[in-house]
Amino acid sequence: MSPRKRRFEFARVPAQIGQDLDERLGAATLLRRALNKVFPNHWSFLLGEIALYSFIVLLLTGTFLALFFDPSMTEVAYDGSYTPLRGEMMSQAYATSLHLSFDVRGGLIMRQMHHWAALLFMASILVHMFRVFFTGAFRKPREMNWVVGVLLFWLGFFEGFAGYSLPDDALSGTGLRIATAIILSIPVIGTWTYTSLFGGEFPGTEILPRLYIVHVFLIPLLLLGLITVHLALMVKQKHTQWPGPKATEHNVVGVRMVPGFALKTTGFFLLIFGLIALMGGLVQINPLWLFGPYKGEVVSAASQPDWYVMFLDGSTRLMPDWDLTIGPYTIPAIFWPTVVLPGVLTMLAVFYPAIDRRIYKDYEAHHLLQRPRDVPVRTALGMMAISFWLVLTISGGNDIVAEKFDISLNAMTWAGRVGLLIVPPIAYWVTYRICLGLQQHDREVLAHGVETGIIKRLPDGRFIEVHQPLADGHLEYAGTPVPKKMNKLGALGPAIRGFFFPIEKPAPPPPAVTPVSPADAPRELEEAPPKY
Amino acid sequence: MSSEHHAPVADPSFDVDDPRNTRFDLVREGLRRDGMEIAYYEPAFPPGRKSKVEKRIERSIALLFVLAGLFAVAFVVAYIWWPWKYEMGATASKFYTPILALTLGGSLVLLAFGIIAWAKKLLPHEVVIQDRHDGASPYDEQRLTGAAIMNIVDETGIRRRPLLKAALALPAAGLGVAAVAPLVGALIKDPNDGHPLLKTGWNPENNNGRPVRLTRQDGTPVRPEEVSPGGQMTVFPGIPGGATNKWADSPVLLIHLRQADADRLRASIAASQAALAEGRDVTRPVVDGMWQNFVAYSKICTHAGCPASLYEQQTNRLLCPCHQSQFLITEQAKPVFGPAHRKLPMLPLDVEDGFLVARSDFLEPIGPTYWERPVEINEQEATS
Ligand code: HEM
Ligand code: FES
């Protein structure tokens, strides 16, 4: 039975190719393992994917832009299609940005998709970080990936700032000028850094070409590298999961990578891509032809940076004018809110896993997530940080708020200053209370059962509400969701689901499994026979 | 730990060629060998004849795919044939970008829905459990790797030969510095070279030593009578390129004060001069730069360099839109609100041949504060 003599069979081709490849690579086991890798399912695990997919869109659209954009700061007279600016002197960078918007077929949608993707990228990074924080996913062994995440945020921040500066319109130039003040404020090395980066005085002719190479090469390369590390660590350490049926600290419960996860995530990528395309063409962003070229003496009120920069704008606005004089030297007030504050915030974030270990005296590795309510101190600290950031971000637009609601600007500034001091502690206290309340409610249901809505009159005339106990015996508090409504118990039959059609055969009964971990309370709950 | 830790165990006697095994048995065995186990598995629909529901789902997913394809075609058609060239006014080209968005975005979103529906409706429902193999490597693995590393260190002999170690430190340090030297060396620019931070376009050195005229954007000089009382105007140094970003540090706001305001400003300057003479504490420099009722302030905010240019007539304040610092014009533009700490530098004015000129450069560095910023620049430097 010599294989050479065999008649050609079309159906055997894939198997033959597979065999040929394996004879050369010996990768059959590896491939099967990769195809079968288990991935747990939860909506909150999609947040990181949004960041990844918007990054891909950034690479695609950015490469297109780079084919037409020229970061040169040489002054030229505009002669493109946009008549209102014809004949005006402007940098080549601004002129080519206009060229991209008006004289390149499809250039405008690419520019706007690029910008929307950048905003989505930063937003998803931030929300993804919140998810990781509030569920305790940063705990051992994942501290390194948490730090990589913090770095990714800052790289994205600087990448976005560099990109925003490139078109050299009035807004981007203003942002750059404020950046010079921040650089100048650094003690001792401020002026040297400033003249070195700008090749002399602001704006000069060097800064945009330099920012350009930073924006299209250096930071994307770093981002790509760090994203690779981020994902590799995730694959090696495997994804965390919520406690639930069968889930323990030693396994991963979910679906296989292919086809279940792969198909869904491909759909999800296309969805993100499609939404960015829709936004990019339907919702105007950064209409830089309206701002005009950057000129040192021009700025309009209500000029806002991109949202992820606004918290620094806010901190700068709220800072009192406390210049610090040391003999002949000065540390300007702007140094604190723009250099020291982000530095401190970053350090707090980087070291938070270590701080958390000490708060909870927990030095073990964990793969099961925690519900925010079950770790009230951490949740409250997180809400405190978010409220701090929110006060700053709102203050970054305080002139707009002041105008919209007809409040005096000075009042807004003072409200921001006071708010920055009192809102975070309030957020801490309120969150802490809410966490305890939610926990309490869960314990109550575990102990007494679900409210049925049935009121019963006792022989002595008192009214009580009948509770449906969840189990015959005692239920341990396990940090998993507790059913609060009767129809979550299965007593009313499964709700009929369906995305396209209202009819679908009832969901199959959950697989009969035996609990393997104490984190398994809901299994028992589901098995409790409904009593009526 | 071991009691709750059930790693799936591969069956050593499993025969992959046993004809009694179905393909799914092979799949299970493959999973088992990699520490995975199917805990629950149910095809979305039973094999055999397709039910009505199944057919309907199939059809609607197919419809999504077909629509996605049509949208994609529409995108290409619109991309090529829709008029795209920008023209002023309401023309068909206004719709070019929105149409691209609707067709491209529509196609992608429809395809996405089709694929997600496929995954959710047609794939088997499954729960697979994978063993985590978490934690550190086994103890002897750690020992073996540690030994390998230490052995490598010893094989290099670095510990036995401190001389080599010391000698190696030299090229290591040298090349380390050499690696950054070109970058830093080429980039570094001395801020004291030509004093860009202390000089602006108003310095007479830019005008062959003669006082620099105040000019408009288009380069025309300004006569005092061209600015009515209460009026103001942005002016630039009357030197080549004076209104361009080459002199982004030089824009100035020229204000013709009303009589009462001018008197207030004069009083304020006089008070500061008196305080200075008596050695009392006062912010230096005190510049009397007025010419009649005209005064000119640097537009570059002393906070972070934005143009502080929103002029509030009633309050006589200049507002900087970036972080809302406010400067009182009648008090030498001292900051009265917001994060700015220093007053806006005053440009000393004069009139020559009927045109407004700058007597000298600013007598203090304009713009944001920095570490070694001098408080004032003497008259002589500001005029040469
Ligand atoms: C995380 C990654 C990125 C972020 C956050 C980002 C952000 C931005 C932003 C906010 C702008 C201003 C957009 C506008 O014109 O409205 C911009 C412009 C630009 N970006 Fe990016 N970008 C990223 C990656 C890239 C990549 C990878 C490339 C090229 C390979 C690129 C090329 C460009 C170009 C050429 C411009 C100038 C476009 C113009 O002036 O119209 N970007 N970027
Ligand atoms: S730049 Fe003027 S207030 Fe900040």
Side-chain angles (χ1 to χ4, degrees), chain A residues 33 36 38 83 103 105 177 188 191 195-196 201 203 238-239 250-252 254 256 263 267 294 297 299 313 316-317 321 329-330 398 410 508 511, chain B residues 34 36 40 79-80 84-85 88 96 101 112 115 126 128-132 189 196 236 245 248-249 299 303 305 321-324 326 340-341 371-372:
Chain A
R33 244 175 233 167
N36 283 342
V38 172
T83 28
D103 295 294
R105 202 187 269 256
R177 182 150 218 175
V188 186
T191 49
T195 41
S196 300
E201 203 176 2
K238 298 200 175 72
H239 207 284
H250 306 286
N251 66 15
V252 190
R256 288 165 298 152
L263 213 52
Y294 175 67
E297 76 283 5
V299 75
D313 198 4
T316 309
R317 291 175 185 208
D321 71 319
Y329 302 115
T330 318
N398 61 4
N410 304 12
Chain B
D34 297 334
M36 292 175 235
Y40 173 76
Y79 186 82
I80 298 176
W84 66 276
K85 263 287 197 190
M88 273 309 258
Y96 187 67
I115 290 179
E126 68 177 26
V128 183
I129 302 180
Q130 178 169 21
D131 195 38
R132 212 177 250 287
K189 196 133 194 171
F236 307 86
N245 283 341
D249 56 358
K299 268 190 106 167
H303 178 232
C322 281
H323 315 99
Q324 283 95 41
Q326 291 160 29
H341 182 69
W371 177 248
E372 68 272 34

Coordinates of all heavy atoms in Angstrom, one line a residue, chain A residues 33 36 38 83 103 105 177 188 191 195-196 201 203 238-239 250-252 254 256 263 267 294 297 299 313 316-317 321 329-330 398 410 508 511, chain B residues 34 36 40 79-80 84-85 88 96 101 112 115 126 128-132 189 196 236 245 248-249 299 303 305 321-324 326 340-341 371-372:
Chain A
R33 N -3.9 22.2 21.5 CA -4.0 22.9 22.7 C -4.5 24.3 22.5 O -5.3 24.8 23.3 CB -2.6 22.9 23.4 CG -2.6 22.1 24.7 CD -1.2 22.1 25.3 NE -0.9 20.7 25.6 CZ 0.3 20.3 25.9 NH1 1.3 21.1 25.9 NH2 0.6 19.0 26.1
N36 N -8.1 24.4 21.6 CA -9.0 24.0 22.7 C -8.9 24.8 23.9 O -9.7 24.6 24.9 CB -8.7 22.5 23.1 CG -9.2 21.5 22.1 OD1 -10.1 21.9 21.3 ND2 -8.7 20.3 22.1
V38 N -9.4 27.0 27.0 CA -10.7 27.4 27.5 C -10.7 28.9 27.9 O -9.8 29.4 28.5 CB -11.1 26.5 28.7 CG1 -12.4 27.0 29.3 CG2 -11.3 25.1 28.2
T83 N -12.2 76.8 0.4 CA -12.1 78.2 0.0 C -11.8 79.2 1.1 O -11.1 80.1 1.0 CB -13.3 78.7 -0.8 OG1 -14.4 77.9 -0.5 CG2 -13.0 78.4 -2.3
D103 N -9.2 67.0 0.0 CA -8.7 66.7 -1.3 C -8.2 65.2 -1.5 O -7.6 64.9 -2.5 CB -7.6 67.7 -1.7 CG -8.1 69.1 -1.9 OD1 -9.0 69.3 -2.7 OD2 -7.8 69.9 -1.0
R105 N -9.6 61.4 -1.5 CA -10.8 60.7 -1.5 C -11.0 59.8 -0.3 O -10.1 58.9 -0.1 CB -10.8 59.8 -2.7 CG -12.1 59.4 -3.3 CD -11.8 58.4 -4.3 NE -11.8 59.0 -5.7 CZ -12.7 59.0 -6.6 NH1 -13.8 58.3 -6.3 NH2 -12.6 59.5 -7.7
R177 N 1.6 74.3 23.4 CA 2.2 75.5 24.1 C 2.1 75.2 25.6 O 3.0 75.5 26.4 CB 1.5 76.8 23.7 CG 2.1 77.9 24.4 CD 2.0 79.2 23.6 NE 3.2 80.0 23.7 CZ 3.5 81.1 23.0 NH1 2.6 81.5 22.1 NH2 4.5 81.8 23.2
V188 N 15.3 72.8 37.7 CA 16.6 72.6 37.3 C 16.7 72.2 35.8 O 17.4 73.0 35.0 CB 17.4 71.5 38.1 CG1 18.9 71.4 37.7 CG2 17.3 71.8 39.6
T191 N 14.3 74.3 31.6 CA 14.6 75.0 30.4 C 15.5 74.2 29.4 O 15.3 74.3 28.2 CB 15.4 76.3 30.7 OG1 16.5 76.0 31.6 CG2 14.5 77.3 31.4
T195 N 14.3 73.7 25.5 CA 15.1 74.1 24.2 C 15.5 72.8 23.5 O 15.6 72.8 22.3 CB 16.2 75.0 24.6 OG1 16.9 74.5 25.7 CG2 15.7 76.4 24.8
S196 N 15.9 71.8 24.2 CA 16.4 70.6 23.5 C 15.3 69.9 22.7 O 15.5 69.5 21.6 CB 17.0 69.6 24.5 OG 18.0 70.2 25.2
E201 N 13.4 77.7 20.5 CA 12.3 78.3 21.2 C 11.0 77.7 20.6 O 10.9 77.4 19.4 CB 12.3 79.8 21.0 CG 11.5 80.5 22.1 CD 11.7 82.1 21.9 OE1 12.4 82.5 20.9 OE2 11.1 82.8 22.7
P203 N 7.5 77.8 18.7 CA 7.4 76.5 18.3 C 8.5 75.9 17.5 O 8.8 74.7 17.5 CB 6.1 76.5 17.4 CG 6.0 77.8 16.9 CD 6.7 78.7 17.9
K238 N -3.6 32.3 32.3 CA -5.0 32.0 32.1 C -5.9 33.1 32.7 O -5.6 33.7 33.7 CB -5.4 30.6 32.6 CG -4.6 29.5 31.9 CD -5.3 28.2 32.1 CE -4.5 27.1 31.3 NZ -3.2 26.7 31.9
H239 N -7.1 33.2 32.1 CA -8.0 34.2 32.5 C -8.6 34.0 33.9 O -8.7 32.8 34.2 CB -9.1 34.4 31.4 CG -9.7 35.7 31.4 ND1 -10.5 36.2 32.4 CD2 -9.5 36.7 30.5 CE1 -10.9 37.4 32.1 NE2 -10.3 37.8 30.9
H250 N -8.6 26.3 40.7 CA -7.6 25.5 40.0 C -8.1 25.1 38.6 O -7.5 24.3 38.0 CB -7.3 24.2 40.8 CG -6.9 24.5 42.2 ND1 -5.6 25.0 42.4 CD2 -7.5 24.5 43.4 CE1 -5.5 25.2 43.7 NE2 -6.6 24.9 44.3
N251 N -9.2 25.7 38.2 CA -9.6 25.4 36.8 C -10.1 26.7 36.1 O -10.2 27.7 36.7 CB -10.7 24.3 36.8 CG -11.9 24.8 37.5 OD1 -12.2 25.9 37.7 ND2 -12.8 23.8 37.8
V252 N -10.4 26.5 34.8 CA -11.1 27.5 34.1 C -12.3 26.9 33.5 O -12.2 25.9 32.8 CB -10.2 28.1 32.9 CG1 -10.8 29.3 32.3 CG2 -8.8 28.3 33.4
G254 N -15.4 27.4 30.9 CA -15.8 28.3 29.8 C -16.0 27.5 28.5 O -16.4 26.4 28.5
R256 N -14.4 26.6 24.5 CA -13.1 26.4 23.8 C -12.8 27.6 22.9 O -13.7 28.3 22.4 CB -13.0 25.1 23.0 CG -13.0 23.9 23.8 CD -13.3 22.7 23.0 NE -14.7 22.8 22.5 CZ -15.1 22.2 21.4 NH1 -14.2 21.5 20.6 NH2 -16.3 22.3 21.0
L263 N -15.3 32.8 17.1 CA -16.4 33.3 16.3 C -17.0 34.5 16.9 O -17.2 35.5 16.2 CB -17.4 32.2 16.1 CG -18.1 32.2 14.8 CD1 -17.1 32.1 13.6 CD2 -19.1 31.0 14.7
G267 N -16.8 38.5 15.5 CA -18.0 39.3 15.3 C -17.8 40.6 16.1 O -18.2 41.7 15.6
Y294 N -2.4 77.3 13.7 CA -2.0 77.7 15.0 C -1.2 79.1 14.8 O -0.3 79.2 14.0 CB -1.0 76.7 15.6 CG -0.5 77.3 16.9 CD1 -1.4 77.5 18.0 CD2 0.8 77.7 17.1 CE1 -0.9 78.1 19.2 CE2 1.3 78.3 18.2 CZ 0.4 78.5 19.3 OH 0.9 79.1 20.4
E297 N -1.0 84.1 18.9 CA -1.9 85.0 19.6 C -3.4 84.7 19.6 O -4.2 85.4 20.1 CB -1.7 86.4 19.0 CG -2.4 86.7 17.7 CD -1.7 86.0 16.5 OE1 -0.7 85.3 16.7 OE2 -2.1 86.2 15.3
V299 N -6.6 82.2 20.3 CA -7.2 81.0 21.0 C -8.6 81.4 21.2 O -9.0 82.6 21.3 CB -6.5 80.7 22.4 CG1 -6.9 81.7 23.4 CG2 -6.8 79.3 22.9
D313 N -6.0 69.1 32.7 CA -6.5 70.5 32.4 C -7.2 71.0 33.7 O -7.0 72.1 34.2 CB -7.4 70.5 31.2 CG -7.6 71.9 30.6 OD1 -6.9 72.8 31.1 OD2 -8.4 72.1 29.7
T316 N -5.0 71.7 36.6 CA -4.3 72.9 36.3 C -5.1 74.1 36.6 O -4.7 75.1 37.2 CB -3.8 73.0 34.9 OG1 -3.1 71.8 34.6 CG2 -2.9 74.1 34.6
R317 N -6.4 74.0 36.3 CA -7.3 75.1 36.5 C -7.6 75.3 38.0 O -7.8 76.5 38.5 CB -8.7 74.9 35.8 CG -8.5 75.0 34.3 CD -9.8 74.6 33.7 NE -9.6 74.6 32.2 CZ -10.6 74.9 31.3 NH1 -11.8 75.1 31.7 NH2 -10.3 74.8 30.1
D321 N -2.4 79.9 42.8 CA -1.2 80.4 42.1 C 0.0 80.2 43.0 O 0.8 81.2 43.2 CB -1.4 81.8 41.7 CG -1.4 82.7 42.9 OD1 -2.1 82.3 43.9 OD2 -0.8 83.8 42.9
Y329 N 15.6 80.9 42.8 CA 14.9 79.9 41.9 C 13.4 79.9 42.3 O 13.0 80.2 43.4 CB 15.5 78.6 42.1 CG 17.0 78.6 41.7 CD1 18.0 78.4 42.7 CD2 17.4 78.9 40.5 CE1 19.3 78.4 42.4 CE2 18.8 79.0 40.1 CZ 19.7 78.7 41.1 OH 21.0 78.8 40.8
T330 N 12.6 79.4 41.3 CA 11.2 79.3 41.4 C 10.7 77.9 41.0 O 11.1 77.4 39.9 CB 10.5 80.3 40.6 OG1 11.2 81.5 40.7 CG2 9.0 80.5 41.1
N398 N -14.8 73.4 33.0 CA -15.6 74.3 33.9 C -16.1 75.5 33.2 O -17.2 76.1 33.5 CB -15.0 74.6 35.2 CG -13.7 75.3 35.1 OD1 -13.3 75.7 34.0 ND2 -13.0 75.5 36.2
N410 N -15.7 81.8 38.4 CA -15.0 81.8 39.6 C -15.7 80.9 40.6 O -15.0 80.1 41.4 CB -14.9 83.2 40.2 CG -14.2 84.2 39.2 OD1 -14.1 83.8 38.0 ND2 -13.9 85.3 39.7
P508 N -32.2 24.6 28.0 CA -32.0 23.3 28.6 C -31.7 23.4 30.1 O -31.1 24.4 30.6 CB -30.8 22.7 27.9 CG -30.1 23.9 27.4 CD -31.1 25.0 27.1
P511 N -26.7 21.6 33.4 CA -26.1 20.3 33.6 C -26.0 19.9 35.0 O -25.7 20.7 35.9 CB -24.7 20.4 33.0 CG -24.4 21.9 33.0 CD -25.7 22.6 32.8
Chain B
D34 N -4.9 17.2 27.4 CA -4.4 18.6 27.7 C -5.1 19.1 29.0 O -5.1 20.3 29.2 CB -4.7 19.5 26.6 CG -4.0 19.1 25.3 OD1 -2.9 18.5 25.5 OD2 -4.4 19.4 24.2
M36 N -8.3 19.0 30.0 CA -9.6 19.6 29.8 C -10.7 18.6 29.8 O -10.4 17.4 29.5 CB -9.6 20.4 28.5 CG -8.7 21.6 28.5 SD -8.8 22.4 26.9 CE -7.1 22.4 26.5
Y40 N -20.3 19.8 29.9 CA -21.7 19.9 29.4 C -21.6 20.2 27.9 O -20.8 21.0 27.5 CB -22.4 21.0 30.1 CG -23.8 21.3 29.5 CD1 -24.9 20.4 29.8 CD2 -24.0 22.4 28.7 CE1 -26.1 20.6 29.2 CE2 -25.2 22.6 28.1 CZ -26.3 21.7 28.4 OH -27.5 22.0 27.8
Y79 N -17.8 55.0 -3.1 CA -16.4 55.5 -3.0 C -15.9 56.0 -4.4 O -15.2 57.0 -4.5 CB -15.5 54.4 -2.5 CG -14.1 54.9 -2.2 CD1 -13.8 55.6 -1.1 CD2 -13.1 54.7 -3.2 CE1 -12.5 56.1 -0.8 CE2 -11.8 55.2 -3.0 CZ -11.5 55.8 -1.8 OH -10.3 56.3 -1.5
I80 N -16.3 55.2 -5.4 CA -15.8 55.6 -6.8 C -16.6 56.6 -7.5 O -16.1 57.6 -8.0 CB -15.7 54.3 -7.6 CG1 -14.7 53.3 -7.0 CG2 -15.2 54.6 -9.0 CD1 -14.6 52.0 -7.7
W84 N -17.1 63.5 -4.8 CA -16.5 63.6 -3.5 C -15.7 64.9 -3.3 O -15.4 65.3 -2.2 CB -15.5 62.5 -3.3 CG -14.4 62.5 -4.2 CD1 -14.4 62.0 -5.5 CD2 -13.1 63.0 -4.0 NE1 -13.1 62.2 -6.1 CE2 -12.3 62.8 -5.2 CE3 -12.5 63.6 -2.9 CZ2 -11.0 63.3 -5.3 CZ3 -11.2 64.0 -3.0 CH2 -10.4 63.8 -4.2
K85 N -15.4 65.6 -4.3 CA -14.6 66.8 -4.2 C -15.3 67.9 -3.4 O -16.5 68.2 -3.6 CB -14.3 67.4 -5.6 CG -13.0 67.0 -6.2 CD -11.9 67.7 -5.5 CE -10.6 67.7 -6.3 NZ -9.5 68.2 -5.5
M88 N -17.9 74.5 -1.7 CA -18.6 75.3 -0.7 C -20.1 75.1 -1.0 O -20.5 75.0 -2.2 CB -18.3 76.8 -0.9 CG -17.1 77.2 0.0 SD -17.2 76.7 1.7 CE -17.7 78.3 2.4
Y96 N -20.8 62.7 0.9 CA -19.9 61.6 0.6 C -19.4 60.9 1.9 O -19.5 59.6 1.9 CB -18.6 62.3 -0.1 CG -17.7 61.3 -0.6 CD1 -18.0 60.4 -1.7 CD2 -16.4 61.2 0.0 CE1 -17.1 59.5 -2.1 CE2 -15.5 60.2 -0.5 CZ -15.8 59.4 -1.6 OH -14.9 58.5 -2.0
A101 N -19.7 56.2 5.6 CA -19.8 55.6 7.0 C -21.0 54.6 7.0 O -20.9 53.5 7.5 CB -20.1 56.7 7.9
A112 N -21.0 41.5 11.5 CA -20.8 41.2 12.9 C -22.0 40.5 13.5 O -21.8 39.5 14.2 CB -20.4 42.5 13.7
I115 N -22.3 36.9 12.3 CA -21.3 36.0 12.9 C -21.6 35.7 14.4 O -21.6 34.6 14.9 CB -19.9 36.6 12.8 CG1 -19.5 36.5 11.3 CG2 -18.9 35.8 13.6 CD1 -18.1 37.1 11.0
E126 N -21.8 24.6 25.3 CA -20.8 23.8 25.9 C -20.2 24.4 27.2 O -20.2 25.7 27.3 CB -19.6 23.5 25.0 CG -18.8 24.7 24.7 CD -17.6 24.4 23.8 OE1 -17.6 23.4 23.1 OE2 -16.6 25.1 23.9
V128 N -16.7 23.7 29.2 CA -15.5 23.0 29.2 C -14.7 23.4 30.4 O -14.6 24.6 30.7 CB -14.7 23.1 27.9 CG1 -13.4 22.3 27.9 CG2 -15.5 22.8 26.7
I129 N -14.1 22.5 31.1 CA -13.3 22.8 32.2 C -11.8 22.5 32.0 O -11.5 21.4 31.6 CB -13.8 22.1 33.5 CG1 -15.3 22.4 33.7 CG2 -13.0 22.4 34.7 CD1 -15.9 21.7 34.9
Q130 N -11.0 23.5 32.1 CA -9.6 23.2 31.9 C -8.8 23.4 33.2 O -9.1 24.3 34.0 CB -9.0 24.3 30.9 CG -7.6 24.1 30.6 CD -7.1 25.0 29.5 OE1 -7.7 26.0 29.1 NE2 -6.0 24.6 28.9
D131 N -7.9 22.4 33.4 CA -7.1 22.4 34.6 C -6.1 23.6 34.5 O -5.7 24.0 33.4 CB -6.3 21.1 34.7 CG -5.7 21.0 36.0 OD1 -6.4 21.3 37.0 OD2 -4.6 20.5 36.1
R132 N -5.9 24.3 35.6 CA -5.1 25.6 35.5 C -3.6 25.4 35.5 O -2.9 26.2 35.0 CB -5.5 26.4 36.7 CG -5.5 27.9 36.3 CD -6.0 28.7 37.5 NE -7.3 29.3 37.2 CZ -7.5 30.3 36.4 NH1 -6.5 30.9 35.7 NH2 -8.7 30.8 36.2
K189 N 20.3 71.5 23.6 CA 20.4 72.8 23.2 C 20.4 73.7 24.4 O 19.5 73.7 25.2 CB 19.2 73.2 22.3 CG 19.4 74.4 21.4 CD 19.0 74.1 20.0 CE 19.6 75.2 19.1 NZ 19.4 74.9 17.7
P196 N 16.9 82.7 24.2 CA 15.6 82.8 23.6 C 14.5 83.0 24.6 O 13.5 83.6 24.3 CB 15.4 81.4 23.0 CG 16.4 80.5 23.6 CD 17.5 81.4 24.0
F236 N 2.1 93.2 16.6 CA 3.3 92.3 16.5 C 4.5 93.2 16.2 O 4.3 94.3 15.7 CB 3.1 91.4 15.3 CG 1.8 90.6 15.3 CD1 0.6 91.1 14.8 CD2 1.8 89.3 15.9 CE1 -0.6 90.4 14.9 CE2 0.6 88.6 16.0 CZ -0.6 89.2 15.5
N245 N 4.7 82.6 13.5 CA 5.0 81.8 14.7 C 6.5 81.8 15.1 O 6.9 81.3 16.1 CB 4.6 80.3 14.5 CG 3.1 80.2 14.7 OD1 2.5 81.1 15.3 ND2 2.5 79.1 14.2
A248 N 6.5 83.7 18.2 CA 5.3 83.3 18.9 C 5.3 83.8 20.3 O 4.3 83.8 21.1 CB 5.1 81.8 19.0
D249 N 6.5 84.4 20.8 CA 6.6 84.9 22.1 C 6.3 86.4 22.1 O 6.3 87.1 23.2 CB 7.9 84.7 22.8 CG 9.1 85.2 21.9 OD1 8.8 85.7 20.8 OD2 10.2 85.1 22.3
K299 N 0.7 89.2 25.4 CA -0.5 88.4 25.3 C -0.2 87.0 25.8 O -1.1 86.2 25.9 CB -0.9 88.3 23.8 CG -1.9 89.3 23.4 CD -2.5 89.0 22.1 CE -3.9 88.5 22.2 NZ -4.6 88.5 20.9
H303 N 0.9 82.0 33.0 CA 0.7 80.7 33.6 C 1.2 79.6 32.7 O 2.2 79.0 33.1 CB -0.8 80.5 33.8 CG -1.2 79.2 34.3 ND1 -2.1 78.4 33.7 CD2 -0.7 78.5 35.4 CE1 -2.2 77.3 34.5 NE2 -1.4 77.4 35.5
G305 N 1.2 80.1 28.9 CA 1.6 80.6 27.6 C 0.4 80.7 26.6 O 0.7 81.1 25.5
P321 N -8.3 82.1 28.4 CA -9.3 81.1 28.2 C -8.8 79.7 28.6 O -9.6 78.8 28.8 CB -9.7 81.1 26.7 CG -8.5 81.7 26.1 CD -7.9 82.6 27.1
C322 N -7.5 79.5 28.7 CA -7.0 78.2 29.0 C -7.4 77.7 30.4 O -7.9 76.6 30.6 CB -5.6 78.1 28.7 SG -5.3 77.9 26.9
H323 N -7.0 78.5 31.4 CA -7.3 78.1 32.8 C -7.9 79.2 33.6 O -7.8 79.2 34.8 CB -6.0 77.5 33.5 CG -5.3 76.6 32.6 ND1 -4.1 77.0 31.9 CD2 -5.4 75.3 32.3 CE1 -3.7 76.0 31.2 NE2 -4.4 75.0 31.4
Q324 N -8.5 80.2 32.8 CA -9.2 81.3 33.4 C -8.5 82.2 34.4 O -9.1 82.7 35.3 CB -10.5 80.7 34.2 CG -11.6 80.3 33.3 CD -11.5 78.8 32.9 OE1 -11.2 78.0 33.8 NE2 -11.7 78.5 31.7
Q326 N -7.2 85.7 35.5 CA -7.7 87.0 35.1 C -6.7 88.1 35.6 O -6.2 88.0 36.6 CB -9.1 87.2 35.8 CG -10.2 86.3 35.1 CD -11.4 86.1 36.0 OE1 -11.7 87.0 36.8 NE2 -12.0 84.9 35.9
A340 N -2.6 81.8 37.5 CA -1.4 82.6 37.1 C -0.9 83.3 38.3 O -1.7 83.8 39.1 CB -1.8 83.5 36.0
H341 N 0.4 83.4 38.4 CA 1.0 84.1 39.6 C 1.5 85.4 39.3 O 1.6 86.3 40.2 CB 2.0 83.1 40.2 CG 2.7 83.7 41.4 ND1 2.0 83.7 42.6 CD2 3.9 84.1 41.7 CE1 2.8 84.2 43.6 NE2 4.0 84.5 43.0
W371 N 12.3 77.5 36.6 CA 13.2 77.4 37.7 C 14.2 78.6 37.9 O 14.1 79.3 38.9 CB 14.0 76.1 37.5 CG 15.1 75.8 38.5 CD1 16.4 75.8 38.3 CD2 14.9 75.4 39.9 NE1 17.1 75.4 39.4 CE2 16.2 75.2 40.4 CE3 13.8 75.3 40.7 CZ2 16.4 74.8 41.8 CZ3 14.0 74.9 42.0 CH2 15.3 74.7 42.5
E372 N 15.0 78.9 36.8 CA 16.0 79.9 37.0 C 15.6 81.3 36.4 O 16.4 82.1 36.1 CB 17.3 79.5 36.4 CG 17.4 79.4 34.9 CD 16.9 78.0 34.4 OE1 16.0 77.4 35.0 OE2 17.5 77.5 33.3

